[in-house]
Amino acid sequence: MPSQEIVDYERKMTKRVLWKLDCHVLPPLALLWLANFIDRSNVGNARIAGLETDTHLHGNQFNTVLAGAYMLVEMPSNWILKKLGANRWLPIIVCAWGIVTTLTGLVHNLGGILAIRIVLGACEGGLLPGMILYLSTIYKRHELQLRVGIFYASASLSGAFGGLLATAILKMDGIGGLAGWRWIFILEGICTILFCLVAAIYLPADIASARFLTTEEREFAAQGTDGEKNSVDINEKEKPSEFHRENASEDLISSRVTQEEEQFEWKEVMRGVLDVQTWLTGFAYFGLIVSLYSYSLFLPTIVAGLGYTGSAAQLHTVPPYVPAVVLTVFIAFLSDRFRWRGPFILICLPIAIVGYIVAITAETDTGRYAAVFLMATGVYPSGPSILSILPNNSNGHYKRATTTALQLAIANCGGFVATFAYTPDQAPKYIRGHTIVLCFLILAWILIAANVCYCLWENKARADGRRQHNLIQYQELWNSGRTSAPIGDRHPDFRFTL
């Protein structure tokens, strides 16, 4: 087949396969992520609807119940995911937390709420790392962030949807002898269970088992993902080095292990744990999580502090999410187009930083309400970018499973900070809470800048031929039987995404 015909064929098949994957994979994942963020926001909505009064909470006790067990389950969950299949494991954990959320509507005191939220954290912890890992096995490296951005935008939408839904549910106050805030948990928990059933029906385990693809499409898609993600990513503008041609033995070439064949081994886990990018991006995302969690949990309270009450307070939580949704998808599109991750975070975070500065210095309710628009607009688009860095730069299934999960385990510790950042005594200005979040966002910006510099430095070292010894070291490990994992991102021709 002439070269131009091959190019046209590949372009046509790529569009066709991506369209089918997007239609069958993204909607179920968006539903699961929507359920996750609705659950996070429903506590804040229930708070201004009477949760604290009815359960006799006071002071910082409300903040205490928000601490979950996310970080304890994220890595084990990702290791399990390959064994059970994402199409089974993800709906299972979502169904579990839907049941737990429903039971939250029946609690009467701090002990009950604390127990429920801990169990809920254990159920929810595996969702986001599992979704990121799953998408990285379906899409190529620079097709990933747009897809992450689409389901992440549903999180922004959930903030608006959660407020609208809570407003409607509060009309049920008194039905069945239950307060309106209890109905928020019961009905939203039932919705979560329904979402997981939809996901279980429509999500494919992998490309090979995707029934909506033809045989030709499956073979084409499998070629692309296996060739790109499970061996090396060679810079198209550079030729393989002389060292690679002369010294890479046929044993090395034949040792390439596909994702389906790769077996769990602790060496790959340690490679993920010791990767400097895991810690730089993990603590950077920690800073974002402090903002993200506190924003979604306490926005209803902040709006109530501006003078709105009841349904008016719920409805005024909706508008700030609208620009965040649009910009999240737009930045994700540009990020894949330019093959940048960190640089777009460095552009977006200052918008949120300005938002918190405005919130701290504002003298009027209107100024503080305007600030929350800037907060969401800067923080939400940064999420998909930071979540796409490690799937792009970690090669080998179990290393990627470890890095993506550990990044989120580190980051979710920010939830503890977020829950104590905004205390009732700060109302309505919450200056101390805003200042805490502001400092963490500045820290996140610095850490992402450091990660971008590291990737630039490492890519230059590889381009200059200073990482060729990785081939020899890997060959020795393979020959001695100390690893059966692919060489992955250790290959000197692999290039990190900024």
Side-chain angles (χ1 to χ4, degrees):
M1 187 183 294
S3 59
Q4 186 56 46
E5 290 185 19
I6 293 175
V7 171
D8 292 341
Y9 170 78
E10 289 181 347
R11 185 181 294 114
K12 178 183 175 182
M13 287 297 293
T14 297
K15 288 182 179 179
R16 188 195 305 172
V17 170
L18 282 178
W19 172 251
K20 287 190 175 183
L21 288 173
D22 289 346
C23 290
H24 289 82
V25 172
L26 296 185
L29 290 184
L31 281 179
L32 297 184
W33 193 234
L34 178 65
N36 178 264
F37 259 72
I38 287 178
D39 172 71
R40 294 181 188 182
S41 62
N42 66 15
V43 178
N45 292 322
R47 184 185 188 186
I48 62 176
L51 180 150
E52 286 180 300
T53 303
D54 291 356
T55 54
H56 312 293
L57 302 183
H58 56 83
N60 289 333
Q61 286 184 323
F62 175 79
N63 294 346
T64 305
V65 304
L66 302 179
Y70 286 74
M71 64 288 302
L72 298 178
V73 301
E74 284 166 324
M75 284 198 290
S77 176
N78 260 16
W79 300 335
I80 292 171
L81 184 137
K82 185 182 177 186
K83 298 292 184 183
L84 294 183
N87 61 326
R88 296 189 187 95
W89 180 242
L90 296 180
I92 286 172
I93 60 178
V94 172
C95 182
W97 98 51
I99 294 170
V100 174
T101 297
T102 302
L103 294 176
T104 306
L106 306 178
V107 299
H108 296 280
N109 52 43
L110 173 63
I113 295 178
L114 183 60
I116 285 287
R117 298 305 286 182
I118 290 174
V119 174
L120 191 64
C123 295
E124 289 185 359
L127 179 65
L128 183 54
M131 289 171 70
I132 298 297
L133 180 62
Y134 174 59
L135 286 173
S136 73
T137 67
I138 299 290
Y139 294 98
K140 295 181 181 180
R141 293 174 74 199
H142 299 108
E143 296 168 350
L144 179 65
Q145 187 175 328
L146 179 58
R147 278 74 198 178
V148 175
I150 289 171
F151 83 72
Y152 206 85
S154 72
S156 307
L157 192 62
S158 75
F161 182 70
L164 292 172
L165 188 60
T167 301
I169 293 175
L170 285 176
K171 305 293 185 183
M172 298 179 64
D173 187 38
I175 295 178
L178 298 176
W181 69 265
R182 296 185 184 276
W183 281 111
I184 289 176
F185 288 112
I186 292 171
L187 295 184
E188 291 183 359
I190 292 172
C191 284
T192 297
I193 295 171
L194 294 177
F195 287 171
C196 84
L197 294 177
V198 172
I201 293 171
Y202 287 102
L203 275 182
D206 48 37
I207 287 177
S209 62
R211 290 175 293 179
F212 53 83
L213 295 176
T214 65
T215 302
E216 181 186 16
E217 290 166 345
R218 278 196 295 269
E219 290 175 355
F220 177 83
Q223 264 187 343
T225 54
D226 181 68
E228 183 179 63
K229 291 197 294 293
N230 296 309
S231 56
V232 300
D233 179 37
I234 298 176
N235 190 322
E236 294 175 359
K237 296 181 180 179
E238 297 177 10
K239 296 179 180 179
S241 63
E242 291 297 321
F243 182 97
H244 185 195
R245 288 198 295 268
E246 295 175 8
N247 297 286
S249 66
E250 291 190 9
D251 288 339
L252 177 61
I253 297 172
S254 65
S255 72
R256 185 171 69 82
V257 182
T258 66
Q259 178 175 273
E260 289 73 21
E261 296 168 342
E262 184 181 350
Q263 299 298 313
F264 178 84
E265 57 181 69
W266 285 106
K267 279 185 178 294
E268 287 298 284
V269 172
M270 291 309 299
R271 280 213 311 128
V273 170
L274 297 176
D275 191 328
V276 65
Q277 293 190 70
T278 303
W279 297 92
L280 287 173
T281 61
F283 281 107
Y285 199 32
F286 179 104
L288 263 68
I289 287 291
V290 174
S291 173
L292 197 63
Y293 277 31
S294 60
Y295 186 90
S296 60
L297 290 171
F298 293 97
L299 176 61
T301 306
I302 292 172
V303 172
L306 298 179
Y308 301 105
T309 58
S311 297
Q314 303 285 2
L315 290 173
H316 276 81
T317 65
V318 176
Y321 289 99
V322 176
V325 170
V326 175
L327 197 59
T328 296
V329 176
F330 180 64
I331 291 296
F333 171 79
L334 291 180
S335 183
D336 274 348
R337 175 63 61 90
F338 290 100
R339 302 192 174 193
W340 287 354
R341 308 299 185 220
F344 281 108
I345 300 173
L346 300 180
I347 293 170
C348 290
L349 276 187
I351 300 174
I353 289 171
V354 170
Y356 281 98
I357 292 173
V358 171
I360 292 169
T361 58
E363 296 295 332
T364 65
D365 292 343
T366 303
R368 285 190 286 273
Y369 187 57
V372 301
F373 282 80
L374 295 175
M375 296 173 190
T377 301
V379 170
Y380 274 92
S382 300
S385 294
I386 203 167
L387 289 171
S388 300
I389 291 173
L390 293 181
N392 279 181
N393 293 345
S394 302
N395 206 298
H397 178 84
Y398 284 105
K399 183 190 175 183
R400 190 186 306 121
T402 301
T403 57
T404 53
L406 181 55
Q407 179 195 58
L408 285 161
I410 297 167
N412 279 322
C413 294
F416 289 101
V417 178
T419 57
F420 291 97
Y422 293 84
T423 52
D425 60 290
Q426 300 176 48
K429 294 185 177 181
Y430 297 99
I431 290 177
R432 186 172 72 243
H434 293 328
T435 304
I436 291 170
V437 176
L438 174 63
C439 293
F440 276 105
L441 288 182
I442 293 172
L443 174 64
W445 192 95
I446 293 170
L447 292 172
I448 290 299
N451 194 74
V452 170
C453 291
Y454 168 78
C455 291
L456 286 169
W457 172 74
E458 184 63 27
N459 284 347
K460 186 177 187 305
R462 295 178 181 217
D464 292 344
R466 288 181 276 133
R467 296 294 182 265
Q468 302 295 348
H469 59 274
N470 289 355
L471 292 171
I472 298 174
Q473 292 174 351
Y474 175 76
Q475 188 68 62
E476 290 174 352
L477 289 172
W478 177 268
N479 290 341
S480 64
R482 286 179 288 170
T483 188
S484 59
I487 188 171
D489 52 60
R490 290 169 287 191
H491 200 290
D493 286 331
F494 186 93
R495 297 294 183 265
F496 292 122
T497 300
L498 299 184

